[in-house]
Amino acid sequence: MLNDPKILAEVSGLADLYEKALGENDLQTLDDLFYAGPETVRYGVGENLYGIEEIREFRKQRPGGSPPRDVLKRVITVIGQDAAVVDLEFQRRGGSKIGRQSQTWFRTQNGWKILAAHVSLMADIS
């Protein structure tokens, strides 16, 4: 079943929490939302990170956190009871490029976690 309304609401709330934590550079919340294992992957605009330790270290080393951004569009697709994909378009404030972010979430014994994430920027829109 796709997009069970109850689970869609759960994942939507977590996606909102992720955006808030990203904007506030809340490293603990960001860390808590990712699966704490070597299987976790995050491809960023300029980095490929394998495993939660590399992701944690990247975030610690990034001065000021992620540049402020506005979400332009978000699509959440829930797959069954235990998996979901969150895709969004964003624009960094003051920037001219459109960014894209995809996250694969799955339900664990400790709640929903991000197992894979990918962030990229498109060419200038101007």
Side-chain angles (χ1 to χ4, degrees), residues 71-84:
V71 174
L72 305 176
K73 184 172 184 171
R74 182 172 80 177
V75 176
I76 299 174
T77 305
V78 174
I79 306 158
Q81 299 292 306
D82 300 317

Side-chain angles (χ1 to χ4, degrees), residues 2 18 22 32 39 48 55-56 58 65 78 94 105-106 115:
L2 291 180
Y18 178 87
L22 189 66
D32 290 345
E39 303 86 354
N48 296 330
I55 295 167
R56 285 177 180 152
F58 167 77
V78 174
W105 292 72
F106 78 114
L115 183 62

Side-chain angles (χ1 to χ4, degrees), residues 100-113:
R100 298 170 290 186
Q101 174 182 290
S102 295
Q103 298 171 330
T104 303
W105 292 72
F106 78 114
R107 189 191 307 268
T108 73
Q109 295 176 9
N110 298 315
W112 286 92
K113 302 292 178 187

Side-chain angles (χ1 to χ4, degrees), residues 26-78:
D26 179 348
L27 299 183
Q28 184 61 58
T29 298
L30 291 169
D31 189 48
D32 290 345
L33 291 172
F34 273 74
Y35 180 70
E39 303 86 354
T40 305
V41 175
R42 181 187 175 277
Y43 294 144
V45 173
E47 66 286 336
N48 296 330
L49 306 170
Y50 298 94
I52 192 64
E53 294 305 324
E54 287 185 14
I55 295 167
R56 285 177 180 152
E57 190 59 31
F58 167 77
R59 285 208 168 103
K60 287 181 200 171
Q61 300 301 318
R62 185 166 55 177
S66 180
R69 68 188 196 176
D70 295 308
V71 174
L72 305 176
K73 184 172 184 171
R74 182 172 80 177
V75 176
I76 299 174
T77 305
V78 174

